[in-house]
Amino acid sequence: MPIFTNIQETELCGTKKVFLSAIRFATSTSDSFPLFEDDLRTSAQEQVEFMLEDDEKIPLAIADDEIKVEIGILVSKIFCSFENELFSLILEPDIANKDIEKKVMRSLSDLEWMCNTLLKMDLMKDFVSHWANISSNLLKVIEDKRLDSILWGLKIKLIEVTSKVLDAVGYGTVVLPAESRVELLKTWLPYIRKMKFLSDQMGKTEAAFPYKMSEDLSQCIEGAIVSLVSALPSNDQADILADWISAEQVKYPDLSEAFEIWCYRTKSANRRLDEALTESATPLSPSS
């Protein structure tokens, strides 16, 4: 039995090393490696995906604290790389430079791939926390007036990644404090609403316009936001719903369901309060 145990431990150690190496290759985040060609990166990503789906030892490897720490470091590096590439956009004299755009899209694609990978590993919390932390600065860059009519692919890709974050938080995969959930919603809801409207308008103006929010993406975001809003404290729900009702693009996202839930809960709470006040005001009958 000790020999068998040693073999298992050796195999598990080998699995961990291969898995981490594959992720490093897939995202080119390690300082030990140069940037690889797309086909090699794709092969590394496929290796990671294969291991997550078919390697019986992967659940044990993922549960290892060493793996979790390494993954956390990789996530931080990818976010740092993405922020640097994104901020370089507005520092460029030629803001429409295709090479710069390609680098930013590559970093964002790395983030999206890592997000999908972490979902399979049940390790989304670090990703969600990082995304929430950079969201305000990220939008300050992407909403720079010089970018108004360009980088549509980047803008839609940002919304796709944000959709995964909203989904994770909205459906409880990642638990955040109420104030963090409110901040996430208030940061992204206006931008998503605006981009939905603008991309739809561009689609009407240019029949071949490729950068529209798909129906699946729109529905996914809407469902996650409804779930997210419905789970917030009542006062926060009221603030967000009031902003939604007063917005020009009130048609999207449709928060009618969240509004109805809030109304029902508010009425129920008021009714219970009235009943409690009535009971407390009713004098007790003297005992015989």
Side-chain angles (χ1 to χ4, degrees), residues 11-48:
E11 289 179 346
L12 181 60
C13 183
T15 298
K16 290 194 298 184
K17 288 181 178 179
V18 171
F19 185 70
L20 284 175
S21 295
I23 287 186
R24 291 184 185 122
F25 276 103
T27 56
S28 302
T29 58
S30 176
D31 295 334
S32 303
F33 303 110
L35 292 176
F36 291 89
E37 296 296 330
D38 288 343
D39 56 347
L40 186 54
R41 287 162 53 84
T42 300
S43 296
Q45 290 176 358
E46 289 174 352
Q47 174 65 27
V48 171

Side-chain angles (χ1 to χ4, degrees), residues 74-200:
L74 284 173
V75 170
S76 296
K77 285 185 176 182
I78 296 172
F79 268 95
C80 183
S81 173
F82 171 63
E83 285 187 89
N84 290 338
E85 297 292 355
L86 184 67
F87 292 145
S88 70
L89 268 177
I90 55 175
L91 298 177
E92 280 291 317
D94 180 11
I95 204 163
N97 187 311
K98 291 296 182 182
D99 289 336
I100 299 296
E101 180 182 355
K102 185 177 179 180
K103 288 181 180 179
V104 177
M105 284 296 292
R106 175 174 171 156
S107 292
L108 184 54
S109 294
D110 283 346
L111 270 180
E112 183 181 34
W113 180 82
M114 181 58 85
C115 177
N116 293 334
T117 301
L118 293 174
L119 275 169
K120 296 175 183 177
M121 298 170 67
D122 293 327
L123 295 175
M124 270 291 285
K125 187 167 185 178
D126 277 354
F127 188 96
V128 168
S129 297
H130 277 291
W131 192 259
N133 288 338
I134 71 167
S135 288
S136 294
N137 289 334
L138 189 160
L139 288 179
K140 285 178 184 177
V141 173
I142 207 65
E143 293 197 280
D144 187 291
K145 290 187 179 298
R146 292 175 295 167
L147 304 181
D148 278 352
S149 59
I150 59 175
L151 301 180
W152 287 98
L154 175 62
K155 293 170 183 176
I156 296 299
K157 181 63 71 176
L158 283 172
I159 291 176
E160 289 174 357
V161 177
T162 302
S163 170
K164 298 176 190 297
V165 171
L166 292 173
D167 190 87
V169 177
Y171 295 113
T173 303
V174 174
V175 178
L176 293 180
E179 58 268 23
S180 298
R181 285 177 277 145
V182 170
E183 184 65 25
L184 185 66
L185 266 177
K186 288 187 173 181
T187 299
W188 282 102
L189 184 54
Y191 181 73
I192 291 172
R193 183 189 295 133
K194 181 181 79 171
M195 284 302 301
K196 169 66 172 171
F197 175 76
L198 290 176
S199 64
D200 285 352

Side-chain angles (χ1 to χ4, degrees), residues 24 50 54 113 154 164 177 192 214 234 247 249 263 272-273:
R24 291 184 185 122
F50 169 78
D54 295 324
W113 180 82
L154 175 62
K164 298 176 190 297
I192 291 172
S214 69
S234 182
Q249 291 88 33
C263 288
R272 288 195 299 271
L273 179 60

Side-chain angles (χ1 to χ4, degrees), residues 193-246:
R193 183 189 295 133
K194 181 181 79 171
M195 284 302 301
K196 169 66 172 171
F197 175 76
L198 290 176
S199 64
D200 285 352
Q201 289 299 110
M202 289 293 292
K204 292 176 183 177
T205 305
E206 303 176 25
F209 184 70
Y211 304 115
K212 291 193 294 184
M213 288 174 60
S214 69
E215 192 64 28
D216 286 346
L217 175 61
S218 299
Q219 289 180 1
C220 180
I221 290 173
E222 188 170 89
I225 290 178
V226 168
S227 179
L228 223 168
V229 171
S230 299
L232 290 174
S234 182
N235 288 342
D236 293 322
Q237 288 184 50
D239 289 343
I240 290 170
L241 291 169
D243 289 342
W244 168 69
I245 290 172
S246 63

